[in-house]
Amino acid sequence: ITDPESVVSNGGDFKLGFFSPANSTDRYVGIWYAQISVPTVIWVANRNKPLKNSSGILTISEDGDLVVLDGQKKVLWSSNLSSSVVNSSAQLLDSGNLILQGNTTGTIIWESFQNPSDTFLEKMKISTDVRTGKKVQLTSWKSPSDPSIGNFSAGIDVRNLPEFFVWNDGSPYWRSSPWNSQVF
């Protein structure tokens, strides 16, 4: 899709496209609620590399990555697949999850729910993989007009017993009680 185009999920709940935050002319690729009059962005691709004009493109590269390109075809953001995938396709689901899947298998090879911004949605999972160290956590916007990564993040810390943490610049700001196999 090219700026200012957008796509809507099958049920009409979410929209994927280009947007500018309030009081900003920078352009981003994001997902927002399609049926709410006040634009409420729930995910941003190129958070730290905004487009400076309306020349952006969201496409699938030759090696199967989902990419945001500027007018000179420079990659500003990528789904960063670890290996090439032939004939991948992308779909915005009614859950608000943007998925990239291999056309030959239909297997999901990347999804926005595993790379969230600042919004937690139903069916999303916040997690920490003890073996790989990969964390799925929420990160705040810098400000209402700047979706780049802000000071606050939230996720699971598993050093002793799993606990839910909110960090401010990487330092613990708040934490839950330990997970007891049912609740924190």
Side-chain angles (χ1 to χ4, degrees):
I1 61 176
T2 58
D3 195 356
E5 297 173 336
S6 62
V7 295
V8 178
S9 63
N10 282 342
D13 293 331
F14 292 94
K15 190 179 272 192
L16 166 70
F18 292 83
F19 75 97
S20 290
N23 302 316
S24 174
T25 57
D26 289 342
R27 302 291 287 163
Y28 299 89
V29 172
I31 299 171
W32 59 91
Y33 290 101
Q35 298 179 14
I36 297 177
S37 59
V38 176
T40 305
V41 177
I42 58 138
W43 181 79
V44 183
N46 55 318
R47 295 179 76 163
N48 293 319
K49 291 192 177 179
L51 290 148
K52 296 300 181 183
N53 55 42
S54 297
S55 64
I57 300 168
L58 174 65
T59 189
I60 297 174
S61 67
E62 289 181 14
D63 61 358
D65 259 323
L66 193 59
V67 294
V68 176
L69 306 173
D70 66 11
Q72 288 74 45
K73 307 292 189 247
K74 178 182 169 194
V75 176
L76 298 179
W77 175 87
S78 168
S79 56
N80 277 331
L81 298 179
S82 56
S83 59
S84 292
V85 177
V86 179
N87 295 326
S88 59
S89 64
Q91 181 180 6
L92 178 59
L93 303 179
D94 287 326
S95 62
N97 193 8
L98 175 61
I99 62 168
L100 186 63
Q101 56 192 54
N103 273 353
T104 54
T105 62
T107 303
I108 295 174
I109 52 180
W110 180 90
E111 59 183 308
S112 62
F113 274 17
Q114 290 294 305
N115 302 273
S117 293
D118 69 331
T119 304
F120 185 78
L121 296 173
E122 186 178 355
K123 299 183 182 177
M124 192 180 275
K125 294 179 181 171
I126 303 297
S127 62
T128 297
D129 187 317
V130 180
R131 285 175 281 143
T132 65
K134 178 170 174 26
K135 294 182 177 188
V136 176
Q137 60 186 30
L138 303 174
T139 53
S140 67
W141 284 28
K142 197 167 269 187
S143 73
S145 59
D146 182 357
S148 64
I149 294 174
N151 294 342
F152 287 91
S153 58
I156 305 291
D157 187 283
V158 293
R159 276 181 239 159
N160 297 316
L161 293 172
E163 293 179 82
F164 190 83
F165 270 77
V166 174
W167 295 277
N168 182 359
D169 279 333
S171 297
Y173 180 79
W174 177 88
R175 71 180 197 191
S176 69
S177 59
W179 177 252
N180 71 6
S181 299
Q182 294 180 2
V183 296
F184 285 105

